[in-house]
Amino acid sequence: MSELQNLDKAYVANTYARFPVEIVRGKGSKVYDTEGKEYIDMGSGIGVTAFGIADEEWKSAVIAQLDKVQHTSNLYYTEPCARLAELLCGKTGLKKVFFGNSGAEANECAIKVARKYAAEKKGAEYSTIVTLQNSFHGRTLTTLAATGQELFHKLFQPLTPGFVHTPANDLAAMEEIVAAHKVAGILIECVQGEGGVIALDADFVKGVAAICAREDIVFMVDEVQTGNGRTGELYAYMHFGVQPDVVSTAKGLGGGLPIGACLMGEKVESVLGAGDHGSTYGGNPIAAAGACNVVARIDEALLASVREKSAYVFEKMQHAKGVKSVSGKGLMIGIETEKPAAEVVKACMARGVLCLTAKTKVRLLPALNIPMEDLEKAVKTILDVCAE
Ligand SMILES: *Cc1c(COP(=O)(O)O)cnc(C)c1O
């Protein structure tokens, strides 16, 4: 093991099972390790580097802001934060944005908004948040409570109370839960990411939206992974013709800098007042300047190319030897392989392709602008490995 890997093992908390690879630099959808070995990056830092590594336009936006001011606190106005909020609202029809630094923080804000809305409108006992089994919403104690996977809950009890989980794609079960609890909000991922890249049924998403409208429940969509062009629409809810009251997002939003956002629609836009919520780094000018560049570039042409590349991957991989099934939307793709996913990832890495896993699947989240040539090469390598 290299000196750096020993150092990391000795001093960095052991929360990550790292691969024995040190990435030192990259460009676009290619990254390089200490030996100069080239990899095609099919994970983009778990869906973060939306336009690849060291993208020139994104870099210019970030560096220009770095030369002006890197941080001011939220006591003062700064331009990137206001421009980013305007961009996000303009493209979604939502009305107000709270900025934090991560997906979990975006979801924390969403949950606070739902609880305060319900407390003021119906009474403090209307505090239950409904989420789906097999969901993933983050690692803080409250977003862990929201996460519908027991595996993550063990040994961290007691979690924040007031969360119930119901099966995905079962509207009758959702109706029962809503009838049995005093519900403030329902939070869903339109495509469950960590849960195995599983898109929800359109009827279910529409049905949940209808229940929320009927019962005056806050309808929240977690777009941390699915957002910002990832699924071939700006936000995944846009595939389903629904309008959420709250959208949380992060990952790809910053293009590689930490930022999270909680977007609030008309119903809840006035819920948060001064002092109700905050975050020292929230709306940080550098992260926001990078995010402005990312969001401005997610136009119809880019989304169409994401859908085309997605169709290419599905066509090549579905029914290929060693592949059981392909799931997901856009460039958020899960592959059920005959070999264990971890084995496929390891073999691909040896051949210069970096992939992710989600549950028992191989997961692909390449940069939205991955060159076709890199995508073709990566798909070929993955299929070679699956077929052997
Ligand atoms: C990654 C993820 C989160 C957590 O985001 P962090 O930035 O790691 O806090 C929450 N929800 C979903 C759907 C995610 O994929």
Side-chain angles (χ1 to χ4, degrees), residues 216-267:
D216 197 10
I217 287 168
V218 179
F219 177 37
M220 302 179 280
V221 180
D222 179 340
E223 297 265 5
V224 172
Q225 191 164 150
T226 52
N228 313 298
R230 175 56 53 194
T231 68
E233 290 285 352
L234 179 62
Y235 291 103
Y237 74 79
M238 293 171 174
H239 289 285
F240 299 92
V242 295
Q243 184 61 56
D245 299 311
V246 174
V247 172
S248 59
T249 190
K251 289 197 169 93
L253 179 63
L257 289 172
I259 186 168
C262 176
L263 284 62
M264 293 160 266
E266 211 169 321
K267 179 154 123 178

mmCIF file of all heavy atoms in Angstrom, residues 216-267:
data_model
loop_
_atom_site.group_PDB
_atom_site.id
_atom_site.type_symbol
_atom_site.label_atom_id
_atom_site.label_comp_id
_atom_site.label_asym_id
_atom_site.label_seq_id
_atom_site.Cartn_x
_atom_site.Cartn_y
_atom_site.Cartn_z
ATOM 1 N N ASP A 216 -54.149 18.381 1.677
ATOM 2 C CA ASP A 216 -53.295 19.520 2.040
ATOM 3 C C ASP A 216 -52.032 19.057 2.781
ATOM 4 O O ASP A 216 -51.651 19.575 3.820
ATOM 5 C CB ASP A 216 -54.070 20.560 2.868
ATOM 6 C CG ASP A 216 -53.345 21.907 2.904
ATOM 7 O OD1 ASP A 216 -52.360 22.080 2.152
ATOM 8 O OD2 ASP A 216 -53.757 22.776 3.696
ATOM 9 N N ILE A 217 -51.409 18.034 2.196
ATOM 10 C CA ILE A 217 -50.140 17.489 2.703
ATOM 11 C C ILE A 217 -49.034 18.065 1.809
ATOM 12 O O ILE A 217 -49.245 18.263 0.610
ATOM 13 C CB ILE A 217 -50.170 15.941 2.619
ATOM 14 C CG1 ILE A 217 -51.101 15.375 3.696
ATOM 15 C CG2 ILE A 217 -48.772 15.337 2.736
ATOM 16 C CD1 ILE A 217 -51.423 13.896 3.508
ATOM 17 N N VAL A 218 -47.873 18.360 2.381
ATOM 18 C CA VAL A 218 -46.768 18.921 1.588
ATOM 19 C C VAL A 218 -46.118 17.793 0.764
ATOM 20 O O VAL A 218 -45.625 16.807 1.313
ATOM 21 C CB VAL A 218 -45.730 19.624 2.495
ATOM 22 C CG1 VAL A 218 -44.574 20.173 1.655
ATOM 23 C CG2 VAL A 218 -46.392 20.747 3.293
ATOM 24 N N PHE A 219 -46.165 17.955 -0.568
ATOM 25 C CA PHE A 219 -45.624 16.951 -1.493
ATOM 26 C C PHE A 219 -44.165 17.305 -1.803
ATOM 27 O O PHE A 219 -43.892 18.327 -2.424
ATOM 28 C CB PHE A 219 -46.471 16.942 -2.765
ATOM 29 C CG PHE A 219 -45.985 15.995 -3.850
ATOM 30 C CD1 PHE A 219 -45.441 14.757 -3.545
ATOM 31 C CD2 PHE A 219 -46.099 16.356 -5.192
ATOM 32 C CE1 PHE A 219 -45.011 13.888 -4.548
ATOM 33 C CE2 PHE A 219 -45.668 15.495 -6.200
ATOM 34 C CZ PHE A 219 -45.127 14.265 -5.871
ATOM 35 N N MET A 220 -43.245 16.433 -1.338
ATOM 36 C CA MET A 220 -41.808 16.728 -1.450
ATOM 37 C C MET A 220 -41.112 15.678 -2.326
ATOM 38 O O MET A 220 -41.338 14.484 -2.145
ATOM 39 C CB MET A 220 -41.170 16.703 -0.059
ATOM 40 C CG MET A 220 -41.817 17.681 0.912
ATOM 41 S SD MET A 220 -41.059 17.612 2.537
ATOM 42 C CE MET A 220 -41.844 16.174 3.230
ATOM 43 N N VAL A 221 -40.280 16.147 -3.234
ATOM 44 C CA VAL A 221 -39.525 15.228 -4.077
ATOM 45 C C VAL A 221 -38.035 15.431 -3.813
ATOM 46 O O VAL A 221 -37.528 16.553 -3.906
ATOM 47 C CB VAL A 221 -39.869 15.425 -5.568
ATOM 48 C CG1 VAL A 221 -39.062 14.448 -6.421
ATOM 49 C CG2 VAL A 221 -41.363 15.211 -5.810
ATOM 50 N N ASP A 222 -37.375 14.335 -3.454
ATOM 51 C CA ASP A 222 -35.923 14.348 -3.221
ATOM 52 C C ASP A 222 -35.232 14.155 -4.568
ATOM 53 O O ASP A 222 -35.212 13.057 -5.128
ATOM 54 C CB ASP A 222 -35.546 13.215 -2.245
ATOM 55 C CG ASP A 222 -34.041 13.145 -1.974
ATOM 56 O OD1 ASP A 222 -33.254 13.684 -2.779
ATOM 57 O OD2 ASP A 222 -33.648 12.522 -0.957
ATOM 58 N N GLU A 223 -34.692 15.258 -5.100
ATOM 59 C CA GLU A 223 -34.008 15.246 -6.399
ATOM 60 C C GLU A 223 -32.504 15.419 -6.192
ATOM 61 O O GLU A 223 -31.820 15.999 -7.030
ATOM 62 C CB GLU A 223 -34.542 16.388 -7.278
ATOM 63 C CG GLU A 223 -36.016 16.271 -7.616
ATOM 64 C CD GLU A 223 -36.264 15.602 -8.962
ATOM 65 O OE1 GLU A 223 -35.301 15.130 -9.601
ATOM 66 O OE2 GLU A 223 -37.452 15.575 -9.367
ATOM 67 N N VAL A 224 -32.003 14.913 -5.062
ATOM 68 C CA VAL A 224 -30.574 15.075 -4.776
ATOM 69 C C VAL A 224 -29.743 14.366 -5.852
ATOM 70 O O VAL A 224 -28.783 14.921 -6.387
ATOM 71 C CB VAL A 224 -30.224 14.564 -3.365
ATOM 72 C CG1 VAL A 224 -28.716 14.556 -3.144
ATOM 73 C CG2 VAL A 224 -30.907 15.427 -2.304
ATOM 74 N N GLN A 225 -30.174 13.133 -6.191
ATOM 75 C CA GLN A 225 -29.426 12.370 -7.195
ATOM 76 C C GLN A 225 -30.040 12.521 -8.591
ATOM 77 O O GLN A 225 -29.319 12.585 -9.595
ATOM 78 C CB GLN A 225 -29.392 10.884 -6.802
ATOM 79 C CG GLN A 225 -28.429 10.053 -7.611
ATOM 80 C CD GLN A 225 -28.110 8.704 -6.978
ATOM 81 O OE1 GLN A 225 -27.828 7.751 -7.662
ATOM 82 N NE2 GLN A 225 -28.134 8.609 -5.671
ATOM 83 N N THR A 226 -31.367 12.578 -8.662
ATOM 84 C CA THR A 226 -32.069 12.594 -9.952
ATOM 85 C C THR A 226 -32.085 13.976 -10.611
ATOM 86 O O THR A 226 -32.436 14.092 -11.774
ATOM 87 C CB THR A 226 -33.541 12.177 -9.757
ATOM 88 O OG1 THR A 226 -34.098 13.004 -8.721
ATOM 89 C CG2 THR A 226 -33.677 10.722 -9.357
ATOM 90 N N GLY A 227 -31.714 15.005 -9.853
ATOM 91 C CA GLY A 227 -31.895 16.375 -10.324
ATOM 92 C C GLY A 227 -30.837 16.868 -11.288
ATOM 93 O O GLY A 227 -29.866 16.175 -11.607
ATOM 94 N N ASN A 228 -31.054 18.085 -11.775
ATOM 95 C CA ASN A 228 -30.062 18.811 -12.561
ATOM 96 C C ASN A 228 -29.664 18.070 -13.840
ATOM 97 O O ASN A 228 -28.483 17.937 -14.155
ATOM 98 C CB ASN A 228 -28.852 19.139 -11.670
ATOM 99 C CG ASN A 228 -29.305 19.723 -10.339
ATOM 100 O OD1 ASN A 228 -29.927 20.785 -10.313
ATOM 101 N ND2 ASN A 228 -29.080 19.007 -9.247
ATOM 102 N N GLY A 229 -30.665 17.585 -14.547
ATOM 103 C CA GLY A 229 -30.444 16.991 -15.868
ATOM 104 C C GLY A 229 -30.153 15.502 -15.879
ATOM 105 O O GLY A 229 -30.171 14.869 -16.935
ATOM 106 N N ARG A 230 -29.903 14.934 -14.725
ATOM 107 C CA ARG A 230 -29.444 13.540 -14.631
ATOM 108 C C ARG A 230 -30.346 12.542 -15.364
ATOM 109 O O ARG A 230 -29.873 11.627 -16.010
ATOM 110 C CB ARG A 230 -29.305 13.191 -13.124
ATOM 111 C CG ARG A 230 -28.960 11.769 -12.741
ATOM 112 C CD ARG A 230 -27.692 11.240 -13.365
ATOM 113 N NE ARG A 230 -26.517 12.064 -13.169
ATOM 114 C CZ ARG A 230 -25.389 11.886 -13.871
ATOM 115 N NH1 ARG A 230 -25.287 10.906 -14.765
ATOM 116 N NH2 ARG A 230 -24.366 12.689 -13.682
ATOM 117 N N THR A 231 -31.670 12.715 -15.248
ATOM 118 C CA THR A 231 -32.584 11.712 -15.824
ATOM 119 C C THR A 231 -33.088 12.084 -17.218
ATOM 120 O O THR A 231 -33.948 11.404 -17.774
ATOM 121 C CB THR A 231 -33.813 11.466 -14.917
ATOM 122 O OG1 THR A 231 -34.626 12.660 -14.924
ATOM 123 C CG2 THR A 231 -33.409 11.115 -13.493
ATOM 124 N N GLY A 232 -32.559 13.184 -17.779
ATOM 125 C CA GLY A 232 -33.017 13.594 -19.110
ATOM 126 C C GLY A 232 -34.107 14.664 -19.070
ATOM 127 O O GLY A 232 -34.604 15.092 -20.107
ATOM 128 N N GLU A 233 -34.489 15.076 -17.868
ATOM 129 C CA GLU A 233 -35.295 16.289 -17.644
ATOM 130 C C GLU A 233 -34.524 17.085 -16.599
ATOM 131 O O GLU A 233 -33.677 16.521 -15.899
ATOM 132 C CB GLU A 233 -36.691 15.948 -17.091
ATOM 133 C CG GLU A 233 -37.638 15.276 -18.066
ATOM 134 C CD GLU A 233 -38.209 16.233 -19.118
ATOM 135 O OE1 GLU A 233 -38.000 17.460 -19.032
ATOM 136 O OE2 GLU A 233 -38.872 15.712 -20.042
ATOM 137 N N LEU A 234 -34.820 18.385 -16.481
ATOM 138 C CA LEU A 234 -34.077 19.170 -15.479
ATOM 139 C C LEU A 234 -34.235 18.520 -14.102
ATOM 140 O O LEU A 234 -33.261 18.321 -13.379
ATOM 141 C CB LEU A 234 -34.571 20.625 -15.456
ATOM 142 C CG LEU A 234 -33.878 21.523 -14.429
ATOM 143 C CD1 LEU A 234 -32.374 21.650 -14.693
ATOM 144 C CD2 LEU A 234 -34.540 22.904 -14.390
ATOM 145 N N TYR A 235 -35.499 18.209 -13.726
ATOM 146 C CA TYR A 235 -35.769 17.442 -12.502
ATOM 147 C C TYR A 235 -36.644 16.245 -12.862
ATOM 148 O O TYR A 235 -37.486 16.333 -13.771
ATOM 149 C CB TYR A 235 -36.404 18.337 -11.417
ATOM 150 C CG TYR A 235 -35.366 19.327 -10.919
ATOM 151 C CD1 TYR A 235 -35.383 20.653 -11.333
ATOM 152 C CD2 TYR A 235 -34.311 18.889 -10.126
ATOM 153 C CE1 TYR A 235 -34.365 21.527 -10.940
ATOM 154 C CE2 TYR A 235 -33.291 19.754 -9.741
ATOM 155 C CZ TYR A 235 -33.328 21.059 -10.148
ATOM 156 O OH TYR A 235 -32.316 21.902 -9.776
ATOM 157 N N ALA A 236 -36.445 15.140 -12.171
ATOM 158 C CA ALA A 236 -37.114 13.888 -12.546
ATOM 159 C C ALA A 236 -38.629 13.987 -12.432
ATOM 160 O O ALA A 236 -39.357 13.333 -13.177
ATOM 161 C CB ALA A 236 -36.579 12.726 -11.701
ATOM 162 N N TYR A 237 -39.140 14.833 -11.503
ATOM 163 C CA TYR A 237 -40.601 14.936 -11.368
ATOM 164 C C TYR A 237 -41.229 15.408 -12.674
ATOM 165 O O TYR A 237 -42.404 15.152 -12.943
ATOM 166 C CB TYR A 237 -40.992 15.851 -10.187
ATOM 167 C CG TYR A 237 -40.801 17.332 -10.405
ATOM 168 C CD1 TYR A 237 -41.728 18.068 -11.142
ATOM 169 C CD2 TYR A 237 -39.709 18.015 -9.863
ATOM 170 C CE1 TYR A 237 -41.559 19.439 -11.337
ATOM 171 C CE2 TYR A 237 -39.532 19.372 -10.053
ATOM 172 C CZ TYR A 237 -40.461 20.081 -10.799
ATOM 173 O OH TYR A 237 -40.292 21.424 -11.011
ATOM 174 N N MET A 238 -40.441 16.089 -13.512
ATOM 175 C CA MET A 238 -40.962 16.636 -14.765
ATOM 176 C C MET A 238 -41.356 15.534 -15.769
ATOM 177 O O MET A 238 -42.117 15.784 -16.692
ATOM 178 C CB MET A 238 -39.946 17.606 -15.372
ATOM 179 C CG MET A 238 -39.760 18.855 -14.517
ATOM 180 S SD MET A 238 -38.399 19.903 -15.062
ATOM 181 C CE MET A 238 -38.618 21.326 -13.949
ATOM 182 N N HIS A 239 -40.844 14.320 -15.568
ATOM 183 C CA HIS A 239 -41.268 13.184 -16.399
ATOM 184 C C HIS A 239 -42.726 12.810 -16.114
ATOM 185 O O HIS A 239 -43.356 12.136 -16.916
ATOM 186 C CB HIS A 239 -40.445 11.923 -16.088
ATOM 187 C CG HIS A 239 -39.020 11.976 -16.565
ATOM 188 N ND1 HIS A 239 -38.666 11.835 -17.883
ATOM 189 C CD2 HIS A 239 -37.859 12.136 -15.885
ATOM 190 C CE1 HIS A 239 -37.346 11.891 -17.994
ATOM 191 N NE2 HIS A 239 -36.831 12.077 -16.797
ATOM 192 N N PHE A 240 -43.209 13.174 -14.916
ATOM 193 C CA PHE A 240 -44.477 12.612 -14.443
ATOM 194 C C PHE A 240 -45.642 13.596 -14.496
ATOM 195 O O PHE A 240 -46.750 13.250 -14.117
ATOM 196 C CB PHE A 240 -44.309 12.084 -13.010
ATOM 197 C CG PHE A 240 -43.279 10.989 -12.893
ATOM 198 C CD1 PHE A 240 -41.958 11.269 -12.587
ATOM 199 C CD2 PHE A 240 -43.636 9.665 -13.123
ATOM 200 C CE1 PHE A 240 -41.013 10.264 -12.496
ATOM 201 C CE2 PHE A 240 -42.694 8.638 -13.030
ATOM 202 C CZ PHE A 240 -41.381 8.943 -12.724
ATOM 203 N N GLY A 241 -45.375 14.823 -14.940
ATOM 204 C CA GLY A 241 -46.447 15.817 -15.032
ATOM 205 C C GLY A 241 -47.050 16.185 -13.689
ATOM 206 O O GLY A 241 -48.248 16.422 -13.594
ATOM 207 N N VAL A 242 -46.221 16.191 -12.632
ATOM 208 C CA VAL A 242 -46.707 16.613 -11.314
ATOM 209 C C VAL A 242 -45.966 17.889 -10.898
ATOM 210 O O VAL A 242 -44.905 18.195 -11.441
ATOM 211 C CB VAL A 242 -46.489 15.514 -10.245
ATOM 212 C CG1 VAL A 242 -47.336 14.290 -10.565
ATOM 213 C CG2 VAL A 242 -45.011 15.143 -10.119
ATOM 214 N N GLN A 243 -46.535 18.609 -9.949
ATOM 215 C CA GLN A 243 -45.872 19.807 -9.437
ATOM 216 C C GLN A 243 -45.669 19.666 -7.928
ATOM 217 O O GLN A 243 -46.619 19.811 -7.155
ATOM 218 C CB GLN A 243 -46.702 21.059 -9.759
ATOM 219 C CG GLN A 243 -46.040 22.369 -9.347
ATOM 220 C CD GLN A 243 -44.710 22.636 -10.046
ATOM 221 O OE1 GLN A 243 -44.628 22.658 -11.269
ATOM 222 N NE2 GLN A 243 -43.649 22.807 -9.266
ATOM 223 N N PRO A 244 -44.444 19.360 -7.489
ATOM 224 C CA PRO A 244 -44.212 19.220 -6.049
ATOM 225 C C PRO A 244 -44.328 20.570 -5.332
ATOM 226 O O PRO A 244 -44.163 21.625 -5.946
ATOM 227 C CB PRO A 244 -42.772 18.708 -5.959
ATOM 228 C CG PRO A 244 -42.347 18.382 -7.346
ATOM 229 C CD PRO A 244 -43.224 19.122 -8.283
ATOM 230 N N ASP A 245 -44.592 20.503 -4.023
ATOM 231 C CA ASP A 245 -44.560 21.710 -3.194
ATOM 232 C C ASP A 245 -43.126 22.034 -2.789
ATOM 233 O O ASP A 245 -42.792 23.195 -2.562
ATOM 234 C CB ASP A 245 -45.400 21.506 -1.919
ATOM 235 C CG ASP A 245 -46.856 21.219 -2.253
ATOM 236 O OD1 ASP A 245 -47.433 21.965 -3.065
ATOM 237 O OD2 ASP A 245 -47.410 20.232 -1.719
ATOM 238 N N VAL A 246 -42.310 20.986 -2.658
ATOM 239 C CA VAL A 246 -40.916 21.160 -2.234
ATOM 240 C C VAL A 246 -40.035 20.215 -3.043
ATOM 241 O O VAL A 246 -40.384 19.050 -3.242
ATOM 242 C CB VAL A 246 -40.752 20.839 -0.721
ATOM 243 C CG1 VAL A 246 -39.288 20.878 -0.310
ATOM 244 C CG2 VAL A 246 -41.568 21.803 0.144
ATOM 245 N N VAL A 247 -38.905 20.733 -3.522
ATOM 246 C CA VAL A 247 -37.917 19.906 -4.227
ATOM 247 C C VAL A 247 -36.573 20.122 -3.536
ATOM 248 O O VAL A 247 -36.144 21.266 -3.355
ATOM 249 C CB VAL A 247 -37.809 20.324 -5.716
ATOM 250 C CG1 VAL A 247 -36.646 19.602 -6.403
ATOM 251 C CG2 VAL A 247 -39.113 20.042 -6.455
ATOM 252 N N SER A 248 -35.922 19.017 -3.142
ATOM 253 C CA SER A 248 -34.571 19.144 -2.584
ATOM 254 C C SER A 248 -33.586 18.642 -3.619
ATOM 255 O O SER A 248 -33.868 17.691 -4.346
ATOM 256 C CB SER A 248 -34.452 18.314 -1.298
ATOM 257 O OG SER A 248 -34.732 16.956 -1.568
ATOM 258 N N THR A 249 -32.438 19.313 -3.708
ATOM 259 C CA THR A 249 -31.444 18.853 -4.669
ATOM 260 C C THR A 249 -30.040 19.190 -4.177
ATOM 261 O O THR A 249 -29.869 20.003 -3.262
ATOM 262 C CB THR A 249 -31.727 19.424 -6.079
ATOM 263 O OG1 THR A 249 -30.869 18.756 -7.020
ATOM 264 C CG2 THR A 249 -31.474 20.927 -6.147
ATOM 265 N N ALA A 250 -29.038 18.513 -4.740
ATOM 266 C CA ALA A 250 -27.633 18.754 -4.369
ATOM 267 C C ALA A 250 -26.752 18.106 -5.447
ATOM 268 O O ALA A 250 -26.838 18.513 -6.600
ATOM 269 C CB ALA A 250 -27.325 18.207 -2.978
ATOM 270 N N LYS A 251 -25.969 17.098 -5.091
ATOM 271 C CA LYS A 251 -25.052 16.392 -5.992
ATOM 272 C C LYS A 251 -24.651 17.183 -7.243
ATOM 273 O O LYS A 251 -23.734 17.990 -7.175
ATOM 274 C CB LYS A 251 -25.620 15.015 -6.328
ATOM 275 C CG LYS A 251 -25.557 14.057 -5.114
ATOM 276 C CD LYS A 251 -25.710 12.592 -5.469
ATOM 277 C CE LYS A 251 -25.370 11.676 -4.306
ATOM 278 N NZ LYS A 251 -26.498 11.272 -3.476
ATOM 279 N N GLY A 252 -25.297 16.966 -8.391
ATOM 280 C CA GLY A 252 -24.867 17.583 -9.647
ATOM 281 C C GLY A 252 -24.990 19.101 -9.674
ATOM 282 O O GLY A 252 -24.371 19.758 -10.520
ATOM 283 N N LEU A 253 -25.763 19.662 -8.751
ATOM 284 C CA LEU A 253 -26.030 21.107 -8.771
ATOM 285 C C LEU A 253 -24.756 21.938 -8.753
ATOM 286 O O LEU A 253 -24.644 22.934 -9.477
ATOM 287 C CB LEU A 253 -26.924 21.467 -7.563
ATOM 288 C CG LEU A 253 -27.309 22.933 -7.383
ATOM 289 C CD1 LEU A 253 -28.143 23.437 -8.558
ATOM 290 C CD2 LEU A 253 -28.085 23.129 -6.066
ATOM 291 N N GLY A 254 -23.793 21.551 -7.946
ATOM 292 C CA GLY A 254 -22.578 22.355 -7.800
ATOM 293 C C GLY A 254 -21.480 22.013 -8.790
ATOM 294 O O GLY A 254 -20.451 22.684 -8.820
ATOM 295 N N GLY A 255 -21.681 20.967 -9.565
ATOM 296 C CA GLY A 255 -20.659 20.555 -10.529
ATOM 297 C C GLY A 255 -19.360 20.109 -9.875
ATOM 298 O O GLY A 255 -18.341 19.954 -10.541
ATOM 299 N N GLY A 256 -19.363 19.913 -8.561
ATOM 300 C CA GLY A 256 -18.159 19.456 -7.867
ATOM 301 C C GLY A 256 -17.855 20.267 -6.619
ATOM 302 O O GLY A 256 -16.922 19.957 -5.884
ATOM 303 N N LEU A 257 -18.625 21.324 -6.375
ATOM 304 C CA LEU A 257 -18.486 22.072 -5.126
ATOM 305 C C LEU A 257 -19.708 21.781 -4.256
ATOM 306 O O LEU A 257 -20.797 21.553 -4.783
ATOM 307 C CB LEU A 257 -18.375 23.571 -5.407
ATOM 308 C CG LEU A 257 -17.053 23.994 -6.034
ATOM 309 C CD1 LEU A 257 -17.091 25.451 -6.450
ATOM 310 C CD2 LEU A 257 -15.893 23.751 -5.080
ATOM 311 N N PRO A 258 -19.529 21.776 -2.931
ATOM 312 C CA PRO A 258 -20.646 21.387 -2.064
ATOM 313 C C PRO A 258 -21.741 22.451 -2.013
ATOM 314 O O PRO A 258 -21.494 23.582 -1.598
ATOM 315 C CB PRO A 258 -19.998 21.202 -0.685
ATOM 316 C CG PRO A 258 -18.696 21.909 -0.756
ATOM 317 C CD PRO A 258 -18.295 22.019 -2.187
ATOM 318 N N ILE A 259 -22.927 22.067 -2.443
ATOM 319 C CA ILE A 259 -24.093 22.944 -2.345
ATOM 320 C C ILE A 259 -25.345 22.073 -2.354
ATOM 321 O O ILE A 259 -25.390 21.047 -3.038
ATOM 322 C CB ILE A 259 -24.131 23.983 -3.491
ATOM 323 C CG1 ILE A 259 -25.279 24.984 -3.291
ATOM 324 C CG2 ILE A 259 -24.218 23.323 -4.870
ATOM 325 C CD1 ILE A 259 -25.221 26.212 -4.200
ATOM 326 N N GLY A 260 -26.327 22.460 -1.592
ATOM 327 C CA GLY A 260 -27.630 21.807 -1.598
ATOM 328 C C GLY A 260 -28.682 22.895 -1.654
ATOM 329 O O GLY A 260 -28.428 24.030 -1.239
ATOM 330 N N ALA A 261 -29.857 22.555 -2.179
ATOM 331 C CA ALA A 261 -30.915 23.555 -2.287
ATOM 332 C C ALA A 261 -32.255 22.921 -1.967
ATOM 333 O O ALA A 261 -32.509 21.775 -2.349
ATOM 334 C CB ALA A 261 -30.937 24.158 -3.685
ATOM 335 N N CYS A 262 -33.086 23.686 -1.280
ATOM 336 C CA CYS A 262 -34.456 23.269 -1.021
ATOM 337 C C CYS A 262 -35.356 24.293 -1.704
ATOM 338 O O CYS A 262 -35.373 25.469 -1.315
ATOM 339 C CB CYS A 262 -34.709 23.221 0.483
ATOM 340 S SG CYS A 262 -36.421 22.816 0.892
ATOM 341 N N LEU A 263 -36.064 23.853 -2.742
ATOM 342 C CA LEU A 263 -36.927 24.747 -3.520
ATOM 343 C C LEU A 263 -38.353 24.627 -3.001
ATOM 344 O O LEU A 263 -38.851 23.515 -2.824
ATOM 345 C CB LEU A 263 -36.896 24.364 -5.011
ATOM 346 C CG LEU A 263 -35.666 24.741 -5.845
ATOM 347 C CD1 LEU A 263 -34.406 24.077 -5.347
ATOM 348 C CD2 LEU A 263 -35.886 24.376 -7.310
ATOM 349 N N MET A 264 -38.981 25.775 -2.777
ATOM 350 C CA MET A 264 -40.324 25.780 -2.184
ATOM 351 C C MET A 264 -41.332 26.398 -3.134
ATOM 352 O O MET A 264 -41.095 27.480 -3.672
ATOM 353 C CB MET A 264 -40.290 26.570 -0.875
ATOM 354 C CG MET A 264 -39.458 25.883 0.202
ATOM 355 S SD MET A 264 -38.942 27.011 1.514
ATOM 356 C CE MET A 264 -37.336 27.509 0.931
ATOM 357 N N GLY A 265 -42.468 25.714 -3.334
ATOM 358 C CA GLY A 265 -43.516 26.203 -4.227
ATOM 359 C C GLY A 265 -44.490 27.129 -3.516
ATOM 360 O O GLY A 265 -44.336 27.421 -2.321
ATOM 361 N N GLU A 266 -45.509 27.535 -4.269
ATOM 362 C CA GLU A 266 -46.461 28.544 -3.807
ATOM 363 C C GLU A 266 -47.064 28.237 -2.427
ATOM 364 O O GLU A 266 -47.157 29.115 -1.572
ATOM 365 C CB GLU A 266 -47.581 28.639 -4.848
ATOM 366 C CG GLU A 266 -48.183 30.011 -4.952
ATOM 367 C CD GLU A 266 -49.088 30.110 -6.175
ATOM 368 O OE1 GLU A 266 -48.742 29.544 -7.231
ATOM 369 O OE2 GLU A 266 -50.139 30.746 -6.038
ATOM 370 N N LYS A 267 -47.470 26.962 -2.253
ATOM 371 C CA LYS A 267 -48.148 26.578 -1.013
ATOM 372 C C LYS A 267 -47.295 26.880 0.227
ATOM 373 O O LYS A 267 -47.835 27.221 1.277
ATOM 374 C CB LYS A 267 -48.453 25.074 -1.099
ATOM 375 C CG LYS A 267 -49.127 24.464 0.094
ATOM 376 C CD LYS A 267 -49.931 23.241 -0.323
ATOM 377 C CE LYS A 267 -49.522 21.999 0.423
ATOM 378 N NZ LYS A 267 -50.351 20.842 0.031
#
